[in-house]
Structure formats: structure tokens, C-alpha cells
């Protein structure tokens, strides 16, 4: 099955700096790579995703890059703010597997991001 | 539009007991998945239900089970609780028709086993 490795496990930055979180995956059939943000006491929330037919996607201060050959993808947050402090998870799945499977994601171990004011 | 609702939010059980957790998906979402979140193992997939049928199952013992009702609401049950079952149990719903891959998570049910 799929295996997703995520680094670093903790990341501390100053407000205004950039933050980068990296993930690698093992299953070359994976074609959908979402990133989730989990704040204390809440469930994970999707912040950005990328599909295997795209190399990069950007949404305001957040961007994700995908290298299919190397099987890795990264989350980039620019101009970090204290409210960006949370746990970030990458995930991977093959949306074409099984025909009627919509909810199985393999998650990385998470990165605790702390943005200091 | 209401989000994914999980009940109860917190519960404490003792070893050997059993527990049932409930999840109401977003209206119109027919797929419901369950995840276990622990500090050591992270987010692990338990199972997924769609049209009242289990579609996928993760690598968990048979003590973990679930079901889905005709209104897409889902329950999961853990029997013969062990200390290691202490975790945040997250439910996620997804569209089936017009699925984009996005999962919408509830806030979870935090289970403590003493």
C-alpha cells in the first residue's frame, strides 16, 4: 500500500518568514495530493491540493509543488502569520482505485508549525 | 450548510467496555470515512462506507466495526476496549457524484480508555 513520509516534524519560524514542508510517497499510482491544516481541538481542514497532471498550484500565500518522477511534493507558505500556527498534514491517494472509494487517504505524520510574532 | 457532526465529543471508558460513536455527514455527501488519530501513529484510515456498504477497510482488528444508515449517517463501534484505543476518532464525508477528492472532517470524538 501507499506510504507517505513527511518532514520536518516540527518547524519554528518568525512571522514574515517562509515555511516549507516536504513529503514523499511510495505508490506511483497516487494521483491526488491534498494538504490539511489542523488547529487545536478541530478536525483537519483542506488548505490546498494538487493532482498528478499539474506541477505547481498556488493560492495566495500557499503553494504546492509536485515532482512525480521523484515522488515528492511540498507545501510552501510565504509571509507566515501567527494564525498559520497549526499541525499540517500531507496525504496521498489514487482516486482511480476501487471505483467507488472516495475517502481513503494515506497521511504523513504531520508537521507542527509555530510562527513566532 | 452544516458541517460534519460527530457525537459525543468526549468520552471516558474503562478497559473491556465497548463504545459507539456517531457521525452525520454534510448533506448530500454519501461517503463516510473514519480515521483514528494518535500522537504516535498519526492519522490512520479505519474504514469507509458508501450506500450502506463498507467499501474499504484499514489495518485494524475486528474489534473495530462500523455501519452506515440509509440517510448516510454512520456509526463506528469498538468492542473490548484496550488502553491503546485512546485516540481522537475523526469522521470525514465526501461527495460521490462530482467527487473532487476532498474530505470534510468533523471535529472528532476524543476517547479515553482507563
Amino acid at each position: 500500500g501507499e506510504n507517505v513520509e513527511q518532514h520536518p516534524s516540527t518547524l519554528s519560524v518568525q512571522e514574515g518568514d517562509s515555511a516549507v514542508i516536504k513529503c514523499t510517497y511510495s505508490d506511483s499510482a497516487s494521483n491526488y495530493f491534498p494538504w490539511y491544516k489542523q488547529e487545536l481541538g478541530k478536525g483537519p481542514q483542506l488548505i490546498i491540493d494538487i493532482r498528478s497532471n499539474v506541477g505547481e498550484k498556488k493560492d495566495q500565500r500557499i503553494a504546492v509543488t509536485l515532482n512525480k518522477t521523484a515522488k515528492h511534493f511540498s507545501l510552501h507558505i510565504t509571509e507566515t502569520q501567527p494564525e498559520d500556527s497549526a499541525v499540517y498534514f500531507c496525504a496521498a491517494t489514487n482516486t482511480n482505485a476501487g471505483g467507488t472509494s472516495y475517502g481513503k487517504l494515506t497521511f504523513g505524520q504531520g508537521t507542527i508549525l509555530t510562527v513566532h510574532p | 450548510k452544516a458541517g460534519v457532526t460527530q457525537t459525543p465529543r468526549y468520552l471516558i471508558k474503562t478497559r473491556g467496555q465497548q463504545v459507539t460513536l456517531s457521525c452525520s455527514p454534510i448533506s448530500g455527501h454519501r461517503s463516510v470515512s473514519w480515521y483514528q488519530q494518535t500522537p504516535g501513529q498519526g492519522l490512520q484510515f479505519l474504514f469507509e462506507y458508501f450506500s450502506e456498504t463498507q467499501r474499504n477497510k484499514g489495518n485494524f482488528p475486528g474489534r473495530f466495526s462500523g455501519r452506515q444508515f440509509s440517510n448516510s449517517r454512520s456509526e463506528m463501534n469498538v468492542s473490548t476496549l484496550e488502553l491503546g484505543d485512546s485516540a481522537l476518532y475523526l469522521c470525514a464525508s465526501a461527495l460521490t457524484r462530482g467527487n473532487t477528492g476532498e474530505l470534510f472532517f468533523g471535529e472528532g470524538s476524543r476517547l479515553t480508555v482507563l
Side-chain angles (χ1 to χ4, degrees), chain A:
Chain A
E2 177 65 277
N3 183 54
V4 177
E5 298 284 336
Q6 182 173 346
H7 299 281
S9 55
T10 61
L11 181 58
S12 183
V13 300
Q14 289 296 127
E15 183 176 1
D17 287 350
S18 295
V20 179
I21 303 170
K22 298 183 178 182
C23 290
T24 59
Y25 62 98
S26 62
D27 187 354
S28 57
S30 288
N31 61 354
Y32 176 64
F33 307 92
W35 286 88
Y36 283 82
K37 175 184 181 182
Q38 186 175 25
E39 296 176 328
L40 203 60
K42 299 194 173 183
Q45 184 174 13
L46 180 75
I47 56 171
I48 196 167
D49 56 15
I50 192 166
R51 299 182 190 277
S52 58
N53 59 347
V54 175
E56 184 173 358
K57 183 176 179 181
K58 191 172 181 180
D59 183 4
Q60 299 183 343
R61 296 186 297 109
I62 296 173
V64 58
T65 58
L66 171 65
N67 183 326
K68 284 190 297 183
T69 304
K71 291 192 206 149
H72 67 71
F73 56 114
S74 300
L75 176 71
H76 304 252
I77 305 174
T78 59
E79 300 171 27
T80 53
Q81 301 166 3
E83 51 265 40
D84 294 330
S85 296
V87 182
Y88 291 81
F89 292 95
C90 62
T93 192
N94 176 3
T95 60
N96 298 317
T100 54
S101 177
Y102 306 95
K104 183 178 181 182
L105 292 174
T106 301
F107 284 89
Q109 287 292 89
T111 297
I112 302 172
L113 173 64
T114 304
V115 181
H116 299 282

Side-chain angles (χ1 to χ4, degrees), chain B residues 12-67:
Chain B
I12 300 173
K13 294 284 186 179
T14 56
R15 278 181 299 173
Q17 287 188 309
Q18 66 102 23
V19 66
T20 299
L21 309 177
S22 179
C23 172
S24 293
I26 291 173
S27 177
H29 287 196
R30 297 171 63 195
S31 164
V32 174
S33 301
W34 290 89
Y35 287 81
Q36 182 194 64
Q37 185 175 24
T38 59
Q41 299 297 318
L43 278 156
Q44 292 190 291
F45 174 78
L46 279 157
F47 28 65
E48 176 186 7
Y49 286 86
F50 167 59
S51 291
E52 302 174 64
T53 302
Q54 188 179 91
R55 302 293 177 166
N56 249 315
K57 189 177 189 322
N59 189 26
F60 279 83
R63 300 185 297 107
F64 292 81
S65 63
R67 59 177 175 167

